[in-house]
Amino acid sequence: MKTITSENKKRIFFLFCALQITYWGCYATFMSYFTAFLLANGVSNTVVSLILSIYLLAAFLGSFFWGSLSDKLNTNRKTFLIQITCGLVIGLIVYRFANIIPLVAILYPVLGFAMIPVASNLDSWILKSFPDDPDYYGVSRGMSAFGFGILALIMGQLVGRIGYFVMPIGLTVFAVLSILIALIQPDSPQSDSIIQSRFSIKDIGGLFRIRPYMMLILVLFLTGLTIVPISNLKI
């Protein structure tokens, strides 16, 4: 497996920090306010809750799909580019046709399927790029929380003062920036042997037979059950 030379580490590290900010910028400017956007357009809490539940389920399944695809193609950058591009296109379509609820109910979960697993793909990309320097990952990951917090605050002010039409603008700006940065960022170091195994339902079944994994899933489920409804429906 090829490793990144020390001369390029700082450059690659700063690009990963930028990628964390631009990806979470997509989330902060669009997905974070989509619930409020639907409610402001007269969609009931019941319908919004149903759409969001399917959205989160699609995101969960998408993690398996994109992880398997990354292994099969032996790449993180290509899948990242595909996910961000799909997310941009779907996001703009969903916003444009937000008044057609059946279409939103179909496409918004597809947006979750593509965009939410980007976070784990990006994490994997960073960890593979710095296998001997976990501090690089920690700092770059911290930039995601910083960027999300600042951008969500700014976005909230813009939505309140200007309107929801800034959502697709923000999504477009940060998605395009993510794509441009990813194009100049080296892909994760590739293994000498291509992974030939394919994702199957049996893989999921195997995970559910691991007790520590099931305990983790239970804790995350209960935590999400507490936090997500409040976060999504607090408007």
Side-chain angles (χ1 to χ4, degrees):
M1 176 183 293
K2 296 180 180 179
T3 56
I4 299 173
T5 61
S6 57
E7 297 81 26
N8 294 327
K9 276 188 176 181
K10 286 188 176 180
R11 173 181 175 274
I12 293 172
F13 165 69
F14 287 124
L15 287 175
F16 275 132
C17 289
L19 273 180
Q20 290 281 11
I21 293 174
T22 55
Y23 162 65
W24 285 102
C26 296
Y27 199 101
T29 56
F30 193 84
M31 282 88 85
S32 291
Y33 288 92
F34 196 76
T35 299
F37 174 65
L38 290 179
L39 293 173
N41 280 276
V43 182
S44 67
N45 285 338
T46 301
V47 173
V48 170
S49 298
L50 178 61
I51 293 174
L52 289 176
S53 65
I54 301 173
Y55 165 85
L56 293 173
L57 176 60
F60 173 74
L61 297 176
S63 298
F64 292 98
F65 173 80
W66 294 110
S68 175
L69 184 63
S70 294
D71 287 340
K72 182 180 178 181
L73 299 179
N74 213 17
T75 179
N76 289 103
R77 182 172 64 179
K78 291 178 182 178
T79 47
F80 179 91
L81 290 169
I82 295 171
Q83 288 174 274
I84 293 292
T85 302
C86 290
L88 173 59
V89 173
I90 296 169
L92 295 178
I93 294 174
V94 167
Y95 179 86
R96 173 63 180 81
F97 298 100
N99 59 315
I100 307 176
I101 301 304
L103 183 62
V104 174
I106 295 172
L107 289 183
Y108 195 62
V110 177
L111 179 65
F113 182 87
M115 286 294 283
I116 301 303
V118 171
S120 57
N121 185 20
L122 184 54
D123 287 348
S124 175
W125 190 357
I126 298 171
L127 288 169
K128 287 181 180 178
S129 297
F130 302 111
D132 301 320
D133 299 286
D135 52 319
Y136 280 104
Y137 168 76
V139 175
S140 62
R141 195 67 176 85
M143 293 301 295
S144 65
F146 172 78
F148 177 82
I150 296 297
L151 292 171
L153 175 62
I154 295 173
M155 187 65 182
Q157 296 299 313
L158 291 174
V159 168
R161 296 182 182 185
I162 302 176
Y164 288 104
F165 74 88
V166 297
M167 290 171 54
I169 297 175
L171 175 63
T172 301
V173 169
F174 286 107
V176 170
L177 286 174
S178 296
I179 291 171
L180 293 176
I181 296 171
L183 288 173
I184 63 174
Q185 178 76 314
D187 202 350
S188 52
Q190 303 306 302
S191 174
D192 295 330
S193 58
I194 305 290
I195 298 177
Q196 299 294 339
S197 60
R198 295 189 176 185
F199 168 77
S200 68
I201 299 299
K202 293 182 179 179
D203 298 327
I204 300 179
L207 287 174
F208 290 148
R209 287 192 290 270
I210 302 174
R211 291 188 64 183
Y213 179 81
M214 287 303 301
M215 287 297 298
L216 175 62
I217 291 296
L218 179 61
V219 170
L220 293 176
F221 173 77
L222 293 176
T223 302
L225 195 63
T226 303
I227 296 174
V228 172
I230 298 175
S231 299
N232 289 328
L233 299 177
K234 61 181 177 294
I235 305 298

